[in-house]
Amino acid sequence: MNRVVVTGIGALTPVGNSAAEYLENIKKGVNGIDVISRFDVSESKYKFAGEVKNADMAAVIDKASLRKMDRFTQYAVYAATEAMNDSGISGKVDPYRFGVIFGSGIGGFETFATEHETLLNKGARRVSPLFIPKMIYNIAAGNLAITFGAKGTNMALSTACATGATAVGEAYRAIRHGYADAMICGGSEAAIHPLSLAGFGQCKALSTAETKDTASLPFDKRRRGFVMGEGAAVLILEEYEHAVNRGAEIYAEIVGYGSTNDAYHITSPDPSAESTAAAVREAMRDIEIPDASKIYINAHGTGTHLNDLTETQTFKNVFKEDAYKLHISSTKSMTGHMLGAAGAIEAITAIDTLRTGIVPPTINLLEKDEECDLDYTPNTAVETPIELALSTNLGFGGHNACLAFKAVK
């Protein structure tokens, strides 16, 4: 089996338009959630989201291509450009051994909603000829291959809110089992829209908070649901010897990936947390486990009652009494829920925590839920040595994913 390492990262988020800016701000506890600016929410119960702010797409994507892309694809190309530049891999990998596994929870939602309105108001002949190639789910992955000359395996996948982590995990498997030398992987989302707010709201999943600092409250008893976020996160994975031979900087080694399904309910996680725990155990199956006090977990941490309780039970199922030694946080307290991009940006967060020993906080955690009694790093970052970093994600449909990272030795 091949060793797999991370040699490039890129990010576009509500708290930063680059990976470096994002990582700096989450360690500071910067809240990227605010009143939605893209459309009027004065009459809505759901006023807050984590929007991307002031990102100059035209600086990265030419105007002709921008016109042909839904926002979720623009975000993907933007973040991938940073990751590719960071890795320095262009021209240094066989294009047929260079692939893409990239996903989104929803895809071209904004395009779909806009063109449907056009159909209803102006008729079929006014629907854009770009409607389908902007909206279809696989088009971000396709555009990444076109942009960066990746002629190997190319897949678009969705495991709902676990998508980003699943994409990274499946890219890891492709390299580990010898099907590729390098992969572009991650997720993007751009679904902040009146229709999506209405849909998630009718599921009773969205926060109805009245201030931004009470909007996204993972593990806090005051929580009232999750907050939508958006953006993209991309990792460049590479076979270890390939990376070493070209002198690449290595961020971390992926040492495990677990993927399971609850097979329980379309939206609710299984409260027994047996399947989520199985994903975590699978991710750690082939590695030496350090003392729990040197483990960081970036939790899915949506700020919904069922998620927070299920994750707490997951960590107790896996680590038993040692669960109380773990360092855990939810960066969704700052970004909101980036849906299909969440697992990828949270993987980048886990890698940075491993490298720096700085555990980012769960901000605005003021009233701890008695049933969520682990250490969720409330409000202030903590500096401590970390030897194993995990990122866990759960998705509608029962999807679970866990990624495990260690420093390269």
Side-chain angles (χ1 to χ4, degrees), residues 29-191:
V30 174
N31 191 352
I33 295 165
D34 213 330
V35 175
I36 294 170
S37 64
R38 203 165 292 154
F39 50 88
D40 182 15
V41 291
S42 58
E43 301 300 319
S44 174
K45 292 191 295 183
Y46 316 110
K47 292 181 168 55
F48 293 93
E51 294 178 300
V52 167
K53 306 170 185 72
N54 304 317
D56 185 2
M57 294 294 137
V60 175
I61 307 168
D62 65 85
K63 290 184 179 180
S65 297
L66 272 175
R67 188 174 64 88
K68 299 174 184 177
M69 294 179 184
D70 182 89
R71 197 188 302 265
F72 95 104
T73 302
Q74 295 175 17
Y75 287 176
V77 174
Y78 185 101
T81 299
E82 180 190 7
M84 285 292 292
N85 291 340
D86 185 42
S87 74
I89 198 172
S90 292
K92 298 177 182 177
V93 61
D94 179 346
Y96 289 98
R97 299 280 298 170
F98 186 32
V100 179
I101 299 182
F102 195 85
S104 175
I106 300 176
F109 189 89
E110 192 171 60
T111 294
F112 195 101
T114 298
E115 295 302 329
H116 183 248
E117 289 180 9
T118 298
L119 174 67
L120 295 180
N121 297 328
K122 298 180 180 180
R125 297 187 66 180
R126 298 296 298 276
V127 171
S128 171
L130 295 171
F131 169 42
I132 298 301
K134 287 176 70 174
M135 175 273 297
I136 52 177
Y137 170 79
N138 69 303
I139 205 66
N143 270 285
L144 294 182
I146 293 165
T147 302
F148 303 110
K151 296 184 176 182
T153 188
N154 188 293
M155 299 182 196
L157 55 75
S158 181
T159 51
C161 303
T163 294
T166 306
V168 174
E170 295 302 324
Y172 157 76
R173 284 179 174 172
I175 298 172
R176 182 169 170 78
H177 292 281
Y179 298 109
D181 293 328
M183 298 290 290
I184 302 169
C185 57
S188 66
E189 206 74 78

Side-chain angles (χ1 to χ4, degrees), residues 105-389:
I106 300 176
F109 189 89
E110 192 171 60
T111 294
F112 195 101
T114 298
E115 295 302 329
H116 183 248
E117 289 180 9
T118 298
L119 174 67
L120 295 180
N121 297 328
K122 298 180 180 180
R125 297 187 66 180
R126 298 296 298 276
V127 171
S128 171
L130 295 171
F131 169 42
I132 298 301
K134 287 176 70 174
M135 175 273 297
I136 52 177
Y137 170 79
N138 69 303
I139 205 66
N143 270 285
L144 294 182
I146 293 165
T147 302
F148 303 110
K151 296 184 176 182
T153 188
N154 188 293
M155 299 182 196
L157 55 75
S158 181
T159 51
C161 303
T163 294
T166 306
V168 174
E170 295 302 324
Y172 157 76
R173 284 179 174 172
I175 298 172
R176 182 169 170 78
H177 292 281
Y179 298 109
D181 293 328
M183 298 290 290
I184 302 169
C185 57
S188 66
E189 206 74 78
I192 299 172
H193 186 277
L195 182 58
S196 60
L197 287 183
F200 280 121
Q202 289 298 98
C203 288
K204 308 299 183 186
L206 284 187
S207 172
T208 57
E210 297 177 359
T211 68
K212 71 176 189 177
D213 289 329
T214 58
S216 184
L217 298 175
F219 307 109
D220 192 302
K221 67 194 304 183
R222 299 169 298 150
R223 61 181 171 257
R224 297 162 71 177
F226 79 83
V227 175
M228 288 189 70
E230 64 175 359
V234 176
L235 294 82
I236 307 301
L237 305 190
E238 197 167 346
E239 191 273 324
Y240 173 72
E241 295 294 342
H242 190 279
V244 170
N245 289 339
R246 71 177 184 88
E249 178 185 354
I250 294 173
Y251 283 95
E253 181 173 0
I254 302 187
V255 292
Y257 163 55
S259 176
T260 64
N261 193 282
D262 288 350
Y264 173 77
H265 189 272
I266 58 171
T267 58
S268 298
D270 182 351
S272 75
E274 293 176 357
S275 294
T276 47
V280 176
R281 291 191 188 101
E282 176 66 17
M284 300 192 301
R285 183 181 62 179
D286 298 323
I287 63 177
E288 182 179 346
I289 310 301
D291 184 84
S293 65
K294 296 183 178 180
I295 297 175
Y296 168 65
I297 302 178
N298 188 291
H300 193 54
T302 59
T304 62
H305 182 74
L306 289 175
N307 175 92
D308 293 358
L309 266 61
T310 300
E311 283 205 280
T312 299
Q313 188 59 49
T314 297
F315 305 142
K316 290 179 178 179
N317 285 353
V318 174
F319 295 98
K320 309 302 181 185
E321 285 301 313
D322 281 346
Y324 292 91
K325 298 180 182 179
L326 298 167
H327 298 279
I328 307 167
S329 64
S330 171
T331 43
K332 288 185 180 72
S333 60
M334 293 170 272
T335 64
H337 194 339
M338 291 169 62
L339 304 178
I345 194 62
E346 290 159 15
I348 289 173
T349 309
I351 291 166
D352 184 71
T353 303
L354 179 68
R355 286 165 59 86
T356 64
I358 301 175
V359 177
T362 304
I363 68 168
N364 297 316
L365 178 46
L366 303 179
E367 296 184 30
K368 195 169 182 178
D369 186 332
E370 293 84 356
E371 295 180 279
C372 299
D373 57 349
L374 303 180
D375 179 4
Y376 297 105
T377 320
N379 304 306
T380 304
V382 171
E383 190 165 357
T384 186
I386 299 296
E387 295 181 5
L388 172 64

